[in-house]
Every structure is written in structure tokens, then in C-alpha cells.
Amino acid sequence: MATTKRDYYEVLGVPRNATEEEIRKAFRRLALEWHPDRNKDPGAAERFKEINEAYQVLSDPQQRALYDRYGHQGLEGTPARGFEGVDITGGLGDLLEAFFGGLGVQERRGPVRGADLSAHLTLTFAEAVFGAQKEVTVSRLEVCPTCQGSRCAPGTQPTRCANCRGTGQVRRSYTSVFGHFMQVTACTVCRGEGKAIPSPCTHCKGQGLVRQKRVLQVRIPPGVEDGVQVRLAGEGDAGWNGGRAGNLYITLTVEPHPLFRRQGNDLVVEVPLNLAQAVLGGEVEVPLLEGGTTTVTIPEGTQPDTVLRIPGKGVPHDGRRGDLLVHLRVQIPRKVGPKARRLLQDLAALLEEEEGKDTPRPWWRRKG
């Protein structure tokens, strides 16, 4: 069973307005406490992973801003940062190495695909059968129109990171009680990008992406069913660092129709008949989903639940349409007036007389 993620601030035990230094100190304390090499509690490994995940988000200004505004959902599809040097299957020395070596934070510098988004649309029964043009409103991350994703203020350019000299990595040497260590880690100044943003774009606050509300046109193909998803490629969140955009998945809900129901690629409609129509036959008007009616012939002696088929009036599929199935429901009146009663009694007597001429009487009505 899926578990709900805890609030990252709660995991680290810091307030929501905590500084970067307070977050770092809390992480160091908790990571040492819950590292599986030191803590033999059966749940230590999972707790250590939870602490590590919370720190990865809250120590990154970009991801922290998304989390503060949208919660865990806002981080779906964002580039996850690794935590090099901290392996819960390794030793405690790995953890100390990460601390003394700049925490080993490494960020993906290559293109990262944007997150997929989801939305819902409600269709009428006729829109689902024949297709429609609909609108859907989505809130998504888009490339900042001011800086075009460069994160720089107009008229400025990124500069080479002075800390790592544009390599995105720094080499650190340190000595601890465990010995002498040499470590290559991602630059903590530029987060491994190798460049600095001296004048961040004020529109996106140096993020390169902004959240926008958009109204999109959606073409619903004919013949969709309730619960089907329609995919709009590239209409999800914009990618990071030049990555392609995610997709938008729209789940369709189809409203029921008061007269028609669907049976595969056929449509079904019920048409009531009175007793006289069923016995004598004739013509009746049958409604069509696209509007109007068509006339069908009822044969004499139609039995209850007879089904007539009208070709080409069903659901469009593969360049053609299914059929319309007309279920004939013979309605027996619960009450009749005196005149109708006399006529029915005469009819019953007449039918009994005619049946006696052509067919043998049932065993329960035979005499002797």
C-alpha cells in the first residue's frame, strides 16, 4: 500500500523559514544519528533515505521554492539531485567524507524532460460518439518569456563559475580520523553547471521557468468511451536545461443519455409498443442520436423484447459506423376502461375460438 510522504520540514525538524545553514546543521545531525552503520534500528535505513531526500530538496533554492508553493506534487518531474559519497550500504566514512567534502551534491547538467500533467474533461454522450472540439485549462511550467530560459536578466549573460573555473567540479583534500581523503564533488556554488548567473532574471527569479495558466484546444476523436485518456504531446511542464516538455493526459468522463446507451460500436434505444401495435404491426418513429427520427416497420405478431437493427446509425469507428439496435418493449396496460375491457373480452373469446380450430387444446383445458 502506498504511503504518504511526510513534510520535508517535519522530517528535518526545522521551521519553514529555516536558513540554509540551519537546514544543513539539522541534516548533519540527523544523518549521523540515523546512518545504518551507527544505528541498528530496523527502520534506520528508510529513515536515513527520508532525511537525505528532504535535504536534497530543501538545500536547493529552486526545488525548495517549488516545494513551498506546490508541495510534493510540484516536484514531480523535476531533476532529482543525487547524494554522491553517501551510500547506506557503504561505511560511516562515506558519510563523513561527504560532510567534509562539500556534501557531495551533484546536479544533473544535461537536459531533463518536463513533468507530465493530468486534467479531466466531461463530455456529453453525443460528443463522445461523434467527437468534439473542447477547451481545457492547465497550470504548467513554461520557459520564461523574459530570459528565454537563460535565467539571466535581459542584456546579461552567464559567466564562468569562479569557484570551479567552469568545470562544474571541485577537488577537495582533507584529513580526518579515518585518514587522508581526496574527493571530486560538484561545485556547491554553481551546483555543477560550471556557470554563474550574475544578474538573475527578475521575472522568473533566476529559475528559467515560470508557471502559467493556459487554455488549450482539445480535439476529441469520435467513439471515445468513459474513462479513456487523451494524450497531448508536449503540453505538460517545460523541460529543464533544454529538455523536451512533458505530456498532458486528459481523462474523459462521459455523461449518460436519457434515451441511448452504448453496446460496443452499436447504439441501443428502447421503443415502446402498445398491445395493438405488437399484434397488428405497423410503422413507428425511432429517434436518432444525431437528431431527427427514422421510420421502422413493425411486423405483425411482434413478440416482447424483439430487436430490430438499423445499419449505419451507431458509433463511428474505422471509417464506418456501427448499428442502431431498436429494442421493442410491448407495454401491457395495468388498467383499462369499460369499452376497452369489452373489446378485449370479445378479442379473447375470438382468439380462443380461432386457436381451437387450428391447434389442439392444452391438456389442462381438455374435457374427459
Side-chain angles (χ1 to χ4, degrees):
M1 183 175 64
T3 57
T4 303
K5 287 186 177 182
R6 286 204 299 157
D7 180 78
Y8 287 148
Y9 292 98
E10 178 186 343
V11 170
L12 295 184
V14 296
R16 302 193 76 84
N17 61 350
T19 64
E20 290 186 12
E21 184 60 27
E22 289 172 333
I23 290 173
R24 178 173 296 185
K25 287 181 178 179
F27 169 70
R28 287 181 175 180
R29 175 177 55 80
L30 292 171
L32 285 172
E33 177 184 352
W34 288 96
H35 193 281
D37 279 359
R38 299 188 62 185
N39 193 321
K40 301 307 178 182
D41 188 292
E46 288 301 319
R47 182 67 190 279
F48 182 81
K49 289 180 181 179
E50 182 183 45
I51 293 166
N52 180 28
E53 179 181 330
Y55 177 75
Q56 289 179 35
V57 172
L58 298 186
S59 64
D60 183 291
Q62 181 171 308
Q63 295 198 51
R64 183 178 179 180
L66 288 173
Y67 178 73
D68 286 345
R69 187 170 183 181
Y70 304 106
H72 292 289
Q73 186 176 1
L75 299 174
E76 294 179 359
T78 59
R81 293 186 300 140
F83 195 74
E84 285 195 351
V86 179
D87 182 357
I88 63 171
T89 62
L92 180 60
D94 292 332
L95 180 62
L96 296 174
E97 180 180 328
F99 289 157
F100 290 108
L103 295 176
V105 177
Q106 184 173 16
E107 188 167 325
R108 299 179 184 175
R109 290 187 289 167
V112 178
R113 181 180 179 274
D116 291 333
L117 300 179
S118 61
H120 287 80
L121 270 181
T122 299
L123 306 176
T124 66
F125 190 86
E127 287 174 334
V129 170
F130 299 119
Q133 192 77 16
K134 304 287 286 186
E135 290 184 348
V136 62
T137 301
V138 296
S139 176
R140 66 186 183 186
L141 291 174
E142 297 183 355
V143 175
C144 175
T146 301
C147 68
Q148 300 300 315
S150 71
R151 300 186 292 160
C152 299
T156 67
Q157 295 291 331
T159 60
R160 189 177 70 168
C161 176
N163 188 52
C164 65
R165 298 182 181 179
T167 64
Q169 297 178 330
V170 293
R171 185 180 299 272
R172 298 181 183 277
S173 176
Y174 57 89
T175 302
S176 73
V177 294
F178 297 96
H180 184 75
F181 294 92
M182 179 70 70
Q183 184 183 26
V184 177
T185 65
C187 175
T188 57
V189 175
C190 67
R191 299 291 183 184
E193 293 185 4
K195 60 184 180 181
I197 309 297
S199 301
C201 172
T202 56
H203 187 203
C204 64
K205 296 181 174 58
Q207 304 300 311
L209 300 177
V210 292
R211 187 164 292 276
Q212 297 282 355
K213 185 172 289 188
R214 296 292 183 187
V215 178
L216 305 178
Q217 298 294 322
V218 184
R219 189 186 71 83
I220 306 298
V224 296
E225 298 188 66
D226 185 73
V228 164
Q229 279 192 336
V230 175
R231 181 175 70 95
L232 298 187
E235 296 292 356
D237 279 343
W240 301 75
N241 296 328
R244 63 189 179 92
N247 301 324
L248 173 63
Y249 292 89
I250 304 174
T251 302
L252 305 178
T253 298
V254 180
E255 296 177 329
H257 195 280
L259 297 179
F260 297 90
R261 60 183 175 88
R262 187 167 174 176
Q263 184 175 298
N265 291 319
D266 295 330
L267 294 177
V268 180
V269 64
E270 293 188 0
V271 174
L273 297 180
N274 60 41
L275 186 60
Q277 288 174 309
V279 173
L280 301 177
E283 294 184 341
V284 295
E285 296 294 315
V286 177
L288 300 175
L289 182 60
E290 56 263 52
T293 61
T294 187
T295 302
V296 296
T297 300
I298 306 299
E300 292 185 8
T302 294
Q303 300 300 305
D305 297 326
T306 295
V307 178
L308 302 180
R309 184 179 294 270
I310 303 177
K313 294 298 182 181
V315 179
H317 69 100
D318 298 330
R320 60 188 186 89
R321 290 181 62 177
D323 300 334
L324 176 61
L325 306 181
V326 182
H327 282 225
L328 301 177
R329 303 298 188 193
V330 179
Q331 296 182 326
I332 306 299
R334 295 182 180 277
K335 292 183 179 181
V336 295
K339 184 176 180 180
R341 180 177 293 275
R342 288 193 300 270
L343 291 173
L344 287 172
Q345 289 172 341
D346 293 341
L347 177 62
L350 182 60
L351 289 175
E352 185 175 353
E353 180 181 342
E354 291 183 352
E355 287 176 359
K357 295 178 181 179
D358 301 329
T359 59
R361 297 170 67 85
W363 63 267
W364 66 86
R365 296 177 61 184
R366 295 174 188 168
K367 295 181 180 180

